[in-house]
Amino acid sequence: MIVSVENRIREVSKVVQVNSDAAGQSAAISNELSGQSQTLSQLISQFRIE
């Protein structure tokens, strides 16, 4: 019983670590997309529709 609980705790810990890594990657990608969005906005602002 104790071994089973310990195994489940290890599994949960692994899932938490994977989720944490994924969240970090998502934050980095979000920052990159934000920068690209700003660059695109600046480029588009150079065009004028007449």
Side-chain angles (χ1 to χ4, degrees), residues 9-48:
I9 290 171
R10 280 192 206 99
E11 288 177 18
V12 169
S13 180
K14 287 178 187 177
V15 170
V16 168
Q17 183 62 47
V18 168
N19 286 345
S20 177
D21 292 344
Q25 290 174 351
S26 292
I29 291 169
S30 177
N31 287 335
E32 175 65 24
L33 288 174
S34 178
Q36 290 180 5
S37 174
Q38 289 176 0
T39 300
L40 182 59
S41 180
Q42 290 170 352
L43 292 170
I44 289 173
S45 72
Q46 296 175 7
F47 294 95
R48 299 210 190 327

